[in-house]
Amino acid sequence: MPATTDSFSEPYTRQGDDISIDQVREDIAALEEQHRKAGIPLSGRIIHVCHYLPIVATYLAKTNNTGVLSPPATPPAKAADVLDTDKDAASSESIVKPAAEENDWAFSPRYGHAAMISGIRSLSHSHEQLIVGWTGDILSSSSDKVPADTVSPEERLSFETTLKKYHPKESDPDDERDRKTKYVPVWLDDKVAHGHYDGYCKQTLWPLFHYLLWQDVATEYASADSHYPYYESANAAFARSIAEVYRTGDLIWVHDYHLLLVPRLVRESIPDAVIGLFVHTPFPSSEVFRCLPRRKEILDGMLGANLVCFQTYSYSRHFISTCIRVCGYETTSRGIDVEGHVTAVLHCPVGIDAERVARDITRPGIKPKLDALRNLYEGKKIIVGRDKLDVVKGVIQKLRAFEKLLQDYPEWVGNVVMIQVTSPALTDSPKLERMVSEIVAHINGEYGSLDFIPVHHYHQTLKKDEFYALLSVADLAVITPLRDGMNTTSMEFVIAQEGTSKSPSVLSEFMGISKNMEDALLVNPWNLGDVAAAINQGLLMDPAEKAERHAKLYKVVTTHTSHTWAAVLVKMLLGQMGLQGMARQTPYIPKELLEGLYAKAGKRLFLFDYDGTLAPIVKTPSMAIPSESTLEALEKLSADPQNLVYIISGRDGGFLEQHLGHLKNVGFSAEHGGFVKERGADEWTNFTKSLDMSWMAEVEEIFRYYTERTTGSHIEMKKSSITWHYRGSDPEWGQFQCRQCQDLLENNLAHKRPIEVLVGKKNLEVRPIAVNKGEIVKRILYKNPDAEFIFCAGDDKTDEDMFRALLLFPPGTEKVTMEAPLSVTLIDGEGAPPVELAIKSEAVFTTAVGHSSKRTLASWHVTTPQEIVEHMLDLVKDVSHPSSSTDAVVAVANAEAATEKSNL
């Protein structure tokens, strides 16, 4: 678990990341070889799931003559602000125009997500690559949008056939990688596609992840929930497409906030899948995220992955804190525990394709434009900014900071110009555009003259040559977004400056890559005075300091590239596969085998935990009353004279008597094995009466100390154990205090006294070392050696003692002789003889309740308590309901619970 330190104090990289990409690839190969030797299947394929395919599709044989105006085309996701100078030529080269029998589909590159796509393609030298993505809006030959529902199944098949032959940019050095990448289109209805992207993604999730609420960016009444059904439908369509192409041993990487429900949906259909999720945007603090109405659905969707990865440590820390505070999930050293399925949380920076940028900067069209800019602004320092015109990009604050510079450092008036380029954002904001224009006019009116204009603002998309010329000529870059994930301009600036002045840059500390770029001048964009001072420092910086800072930044930018990022992601996901709990998925209990062996057996043992096994976990423990179906199953099972049924619980005897005491044919064990009541008996047997229990006073004193310091916690005193509960406290503070208390008990008390310390679900329990559920199971088995069938079910760590006690058969053994356990000798005295057990290994059904990837000693699993009850009812489906007062008892129990609830 990451330490609870300030967001900006954590190093950006982890130890071992600064190795070459060749070393990372060697590590990947070694991990894969290790997994194959361990019998873990690997297919050599990676499925990347992205919102869009990196292509724009045009259907040349179709025009939009429906008579209905189509919705406006969706702009490309994170559309590139830089277009190729030779775009028309490039497009004509890269468009694939197949023969007429293939319906004249044409494809061209989609601009945007360049870093992610180049990273994915770089993996093709060692892995087969599949990119699963939406087709995007289909265009007709007249550039009108073709409604998706008018594309017939035959035309879609033709689309997919043609797509297999598509290879972008034939002259590009990446072409070989492209040829090894296959595209899998996801077809979405237009209403779903635009409700998903233009609706929920852009109007709800994107603002939230950038610390804005939906009403802050909406031009009219905004509902955070109105587009959620489209988001859900689109994610389900992606999950279905993945399931269709999945092969055992594939690695699945899901990319970005458009697809946060996909990991869980894929997990439900492919339980053994190895899934990673990379979130390219920032992730907000829990106090912001908890405002989202669908917060639990989104978090649970993300936690379906084996690994969730973010740009920075602070984003990963926010995510962990949100899972703890909003959902109440527990964390372990391995990650976030959701019903036994552990999701690891890591961070890994995305870089740019440094080699490609370096090639682009040498284009012949750049130098003439660079010289023209130098001549135009001769004798003046040039500050450059390039941002989307978006509320979180901080353009307003940047311009005000520039005004502050001219105000505080008047010597720069007439000697410095700011060239600010704003490209159109994904969602137009006329109000923001008007504000920028007004501030620019104000600065130019206040500090300009006939022969000097301080701010040159261009609201347009730059061509690539102009963009790189601007970066190369700058004396300072100012990139100060209020919140951003990865900002490519800051890294492209470093590469562009390698061949010119090695000029510095002023960067916002709220960018995802700020920790990576610590040799830039980092500022808080809200503090205008500090930004102005940093601009002044950058403009006056001496050449030696410039060269030193630039060299460090250049090393970072050319080391942490998009190719390295992609390789590290694969390495991290393979690393998760090697951890305990990943390699072994507990299979679902086989119903036919269970029923077959039940029918054949003479004597049968049923051993049930209560909370989380026969009744679901509830926030108020006293409200966990048995359902009508649970009571019916227990009655019918225990009515059969061949069945011996025990409920082995951590609850005290009073609770079990109150809710289940009417079941006269059921045996009970309370307080994790401290007390036992045999079936038909009236009295409880105390297993701790001969044990030294004087330690309880010392433990109670320690627990009281922590209770006073942890608001919302309380102590539960039982006859044989003592428990400290912190479910009602602040989750992170409670967990911290729990660990402190556990450390104190284990290091100062446990080694002196015959006790053990157990960490449960939001509690810490201390009990005698000789008393646990496993000892009770051993006692029951010893007393019933003729049992031929055993069913044992539990859901938490204390139930693992039961499963451990039933690991009876070492490899190669068929018959087992059992010595008298401690739970027998404590009560009956020494001298009990060994017994030979009649049970066979295949007739022992240890069953864990929870996810299939839960770490457990059980042989089988079910997902919910209700499934345990259903399986038991199926075993006794031919048994008529006993003529007992079950219905009356349920009515009484429900009435008591209602009374108790009204008193709370």
Side-chain angles (χ1 to χ4, degrees):
M1 283 292 301
T4 52
T5 55
D6 182 77
S7 297
F8 300 109
S9 66
E10 179 74 7
Y12 186 78
T13 57
R14 296 175 308 283
Q15 187 177 5
D17 274 1
D18 281 323
I19 53 179
S20 69
I21 189 167
D22 293 332
Q23 182 62 55
V24 178
R25 287 170 177 165
E26 285 176 21
D27 293 345
I28 290 171
L31 275 169
E32 289 180 328
E33 182 62 27
Q34 180 182 323
H35 290 336
R36 288 190 179 100
K37 286 179 179 176
I40 301 172
L42 288 172
S43 66
R45 301 198 322 168
I46 304 172
I47 300 174
H48 293 274
V49 193
C50 313
H51 175 224
Y52 281 101
L53 290 176
I55 54 105
V56 176
T58 304
Y59 194 11
L60 303 176
K62 201 160 199 162
T63 56
N64 185 14
N65 294 321
T66 60
V68 180
L69 289 174
S70 297
T74 306
K78 294 186 182 175
D81 304 329
V82 182
L83 297 182
D84 199 322
T85 315
D86 306 320
K87 180 181 175 184
D88 296 335
S91 298
S92 64
E93 288 175 13
S94 56
I95 287 181
V96 172
K97 295 183 180 178
E101 61 269 18
E102 291 184 349
N103 291 320
D104 287 336
W105 284 103
F107 301 114
S108 58
R110 180 184 298 278
Y111 294 98
H113 283 305
M116 180 183 77
I117 296 300
S118 75
I120 289 172
R121 287 173 176 160
S122 72
L123 296 170
S124 295
H125 80 286
S126 57
H127 293 81
E128 187 182 341
Q129 301 276 97
L130 279 75
I131 299 181
V132 177
W134 177 42
T135 59
D137 289 323
I138 305 293
L139 304 179
S140 68
S141 53
S142 58
S143 296
D144 292 328
K145 182 173 161 293
V146 177
D149 56 5
T150 67
V151 183
S152 68
E154 294 77 16
E155 289 166 337
R156 293 183 181 192
L157 184 62
S158 168
F159 175 100
E160 292 170 21
T161 304
T162 310
L163 190 58
K164 290 176 183 175
K165 302 176 183 178
Y166 168 71
H167 304 296
K169 296 196 175 183
E170 298 298 333
S171 60
D172 197 288
D174 292 335
D175 180 47
E176 277 308 304
R177 293 200 286 266
D178 295 333
R179 291 180 185 279
K180 294 179 184 176
T181 303
K182 296 178 182 176
Y183 299 124
V184 179
V186 177
W187 295 90
L188 297 175
D189 177 78
D190 289 342
K191 193 173 182 182
V192 170
H194 292 281
H196 164 247
Y197 180 70
D198 300 325
Y200 201 72
C201 288
K202 287 299 165 193
Q203 293 179 30
T204 301
L205 288 183
W206 187 90
L208 183 81
F209 284 5
H210 290 80
Y211 287 77
L212 297 168
L213 297 184
W214 32 96
Q215 69 266 21
D216 297 333
V217 294
T219 53
E220 53 192 39
Y221 170 74
S223 164
D225 226 18
S226 59
H227 294 101
Y228 182 76
Y230 300 122
Y231 187 81
E232 207 171 25
S233 297
N235 276 253
F238 274 86
R240 288 192 296 273
S241 295
I242 295 164
E244 287 169 9
V245 299
Y246 178 80
R247 294 181 199 161
T248 302
D250 285 350
L251 302 181
I252 301 173
W253 265 109
V254 181
H255 291 273
D256 223 0
Y257 67 100
H258 314 89
L259 305 170
L260 297 180
L261 302 180
V262 167
R264 179 164 187 159
L265 294 171
V266 173
R267 175 76 56 214
E268 288 170 356
S269 60
I270 314 169
D272 296 344
V274 181
I275 306 168
L277 169 66
F278 191 89
V279 182
H280 293 256
T281 60
F283 196 88
S285 75
S286 60
E287 291 305 303
V288 173
F289 190 89
R290 73 189 317 146
C291 299
L292 185 68
R294 297 287 181 166
R295 60 197 189 182
K296 190 171 191 306
E297 290 91 331
I298 296 292
L299 289 174
D300 284 344
M302 298 173 74
L303 291 170
N306 301 104
L307 170 64
V308 179
C309 200
F310 296 89
Q311 294 264 14
T312 72
Y313 165 75
S314 62
Y315 300 162
S316 64
R317 197 191 73 177
H318 290 161
F319 175 70
I320 291 168
S321 177
T322 301
C323 290
I324 294 170
R325 290 181 173 280
V326 175
C327 292
Y329 294 139
E330 302 239 347
T331 58
T332 70
S333 58
R334 291 178 53 223
I336 299 163
D337 189 327
V338 184
E339 297 174 357
H341 170 74
V342 178
T343 299
V345 182
L346 296 171
H347 66 283
C348 176
V350 182
I352 58 172
D353 189 344
E355 292 179 11
R356 170 168 282 187
V357 173
R359 283 199 308 271
D360 287 344
I361 284 171
T362 62
R363 292 158 62 104
I366 292 177
K367 192 169 188 314
K369 293 181 174 62
L370 188 152
D371 292 338
L373 285 167
R374 276 184 178 149
N375 292 333
L376 186 61
Y377 300 109
E378 189 175 2
K380 295 179 177 62
K381 294 281 189 179
I382 302 172
I383 299 173
V384 166
R386 196 284 300 252
D387 308 271
K388 286 191 181 76
L389 191 60
D390 200 306
V391 66
V392 299
K393 297 300 181 182
V395 177
I396 298 286
Q397 288 76 10
K398 184 196 300 188
L399 291 169
R400 286 179 175 153
F402 181 70
E403 181 183 10
K404 182 76 170 165
L405 172 82
L406 299 178
Q407 181 182 322
D408 290 357
Y409 305 92
E411 63 271 20
W412 287 117
V413 176
N415 294 310
V416 65
V417 294
M418 170 176 272
I419 303 174
Q420 175 63 49
V421 180
T422 55
S423 55
L426 295 168
T427 51
D428 290 331
S429 177
K431 180 182 176 184
L432 184 61
E433 193 173 338
R434 186 173 65 252
M435 287 175 67
V436 169
S437 298
E438 287 172 358
I439 294 173
V440 169
H442 167 72
I443 295 171
N444 288 340
E446 188 74 22
Y447 297 98
S449 62
L450 289 175
D451 60 346
F452 172 64
I453 301 174
V455 182
H456 298 257
H457 174 228
Y458 303 97
H459 184 56
Q460 65 186 70
T461 299
L462 288 183
K463 294 179 179 177
K464 189 174 281 189
D465 287 358
E466 294 171 340
F467 172 65
Y468 285 129
L470 199 58
L471 292 187
S472 301
V473 78
D475 294 294
L476 185 71
V478 180
I479 304 164
T480 52
L482 308 181
R483 188 70 58 175
D484 208 354
M486 184 188 79
N487 185 290
T488 58
T489 304
S490 58
M491 292 185 275
E492 290 169 322
F493 176 76
V494 173
I495 294 178
Q497 285 291 321
E498 174 68 8
T500 53
S501 310
K502 298 182 170 50
S503 298
S505 51
V506 175
L507 304 181
S508 165
E509 67 184 33
F510 299 121
M511 291 161 57
I513 57 165
S514 63
K515 276 293 162 186
N516 200 21
M517 310 283 281
E518 285 185 320
D519 289 287
L521 301 170
L522 299 181
V523 294
N524 174 357
W526 295 99
N527 189 330
L528 304 184
D530 277 6
V531 178
I535 294 173
N536 182 61
Q537 180 187 348
L539 293 173
L540 294 174
M541 192 176 290
D542 65 79
E545 186 180 352
K546 280 186 188 179
E548 183 183 352
R549 286 176 178 263
H550 174 82
K552 292 177 182 176
L553 288 171
Y554 187 77
K555 182 184 176 186
V556 168
V557 170
T558 54
T559 301
H560 290 280
T561 66
S562 58
H563 295 188
T564 312
W565 162 77
V568 169
L569 286 191
V570 175
K571 178 183 170 184
M572 290 196 301
L573 195 52
L574 287 168
Q576 292 303 311
M577 292 177 71
L579 298 177
Q580 185 181 355
M582 269 289 308
R584 178 180 181 270
Q585 300 281 329
T586 309
Y588 195 82
I589 190 165
K591 187 176 178 182
E592 289 182 7
L593 180 64
L594 179 75
E595 292 179 359
L597 290 170
Y598 174 86
K600 289 178 187 176
K603 191 171 191 178
R604 314 175 189 109
L605 298 182
F606 288 89
L607 313 168
F608 299 106
D609 169 46
Y610 182 72
D611 289 286
T613 303
L614 293 178
I617 298 287
V618 292
K619 191 162 189 177
T620 307
S622 59
M623 301 306 296
I625 60 173
S627 67
E628 184 173 346
S629 56
T630 300
L631 292 173
E632 180 189 348
L634 291 172
E635 285 237 33
K636 286 185 175 182
L637 278 173
S638 60
D640 188 331
Q642 291 179 271
N643 294 343
L644 186 59
V645 180
Y646 275 87
I647 294 175
I648 304 173
S649 175
R651 296 279 191 164
D652 60 29
F655 179 92
L656 297 176
E657 290 272 15
Q658 179 187 355
H659 295 292
L660 300 163
H662 65 283
L663 300 169
K664 298 303 180 186
N665 291 326
V666 175
F668 297 97
S669 170
E671 300 190 24
H672 298 300
F675 296 84
V676 170
K677 182 181 176 184
E678 301 292 348
R679 66 173 176 175
D682 293 324
E683 298 297 323
W684 290 85
T685 302
N686 183 355
F687 278 72
T688 64
K689 64 182 179 181
S690 60
L691 300 177
D692 175 13
M693 302 297 287
S694 61
W695 52 267
M696 288 189 76
E698 296 175 67
V699 173
E700 184 184 6
E701 187 180 345
I702 292 170
F703 278 173
R704 189 171 288 114
Y705 172 87
Y706 281 93
T707 302
E708 289 169 0
R709 287 155 180 78
T710 313
T711 305
S713 65
H714 68 276
I715 301 169
E716 180 187 8
M717 297 291 295
K718 299 177 186 175
K719 293 176 182 176
S720 66
S721 64
I722 179 169
T723 307
W724 181 66
H725 295 271
Y726 62 93
R727 187 172 292 278
S729 67
D730 177 273
E732 290 183 280
W733 175 241
Q735 189 172 49
F736 173 77
Q737 289 289 75
C738 175
R739 287 173 179 163
Q740 295 290 308
C741 185
Q742 179 189 1
D743 184 60
L744 179 64
L745 289 167
E746 288 177 343
N747 292 321
N748 294 290
L749 198 62
H751 66 283
K752 301 176 188 173
R753 297 287 201 162
I755 58 173
E756 60 181 335
V757 181
L758 296 175
V759 180
K761 293 177 179 176
K762 304 284 185 183
N763 64 59
L764 191 63
E765 181 171 13
V766 181
R767 69 185 186 191
I769 205 161
V771 172
N772 60 62
K773 290 183 178 182
E775 283 298 319
I776 296 305
V777 168
K778 289 177 186 176
R779 176 183 173 84
I780 295 167
L781 193 53
Y782 181 84
K783 296 282 188 180
N784 299 277
D786 53 339
E788 296 175 348
F789 175 94
I790 301 173
F791 183 88
C792 177
D795 73 304
D796 67 12
K797 294 172 186 174
T798 62
D799 301 316
E800 293 298 313
D801 291 330
M802 295 198 293
F803 302 150
R804 188 177 290 106
L806 292 172
L807 293 172
L808 301 167
F809 296 89
T813 58
E814 295 183 4
K815 284 286 182 184
V816 176
T817 300
M818 187 177 187
E819 299 289 337
L822 183 61
S823 50
V824 170
T825 58
L826 274 175
I827 303 300
D828 303 343
E830 301 290 340
V835 296
E836 189 169 302
L837 303 181
I839 192 75
K840 292 184 177 176
S841 61
E842 65 270 17
V844 179
F845 289 87
T846 50
T847 308
V849 180
H851 197 277
S852 62
S853 65
K854 186 174 187 173
R855 295 172 67 182
T856 179
L857 295 170
S859 301
W860 309 102
H861 95 100
V862 296
T863 309
T864 63
Q866 184 58 33
E867 290 169 50
I868 290 284
V869 174
E870 287 168 1
H871 277 79
M872 295 307 100
L873 286 171
D874 285 340
L875 291 180
V876 291
K877 58 190 171 204
D878 298 327
V879 178
S880 61
H881 201 292
S883 58
S884 68
S885 54
T886 299
D887 294 338
V889 169
V890 171
V892 170
N894 288 335
E896 287 174 351
T899 304
E900 186 173 359
K901 188 174 183 181
S902 67
N903 292 334
L904 289 175

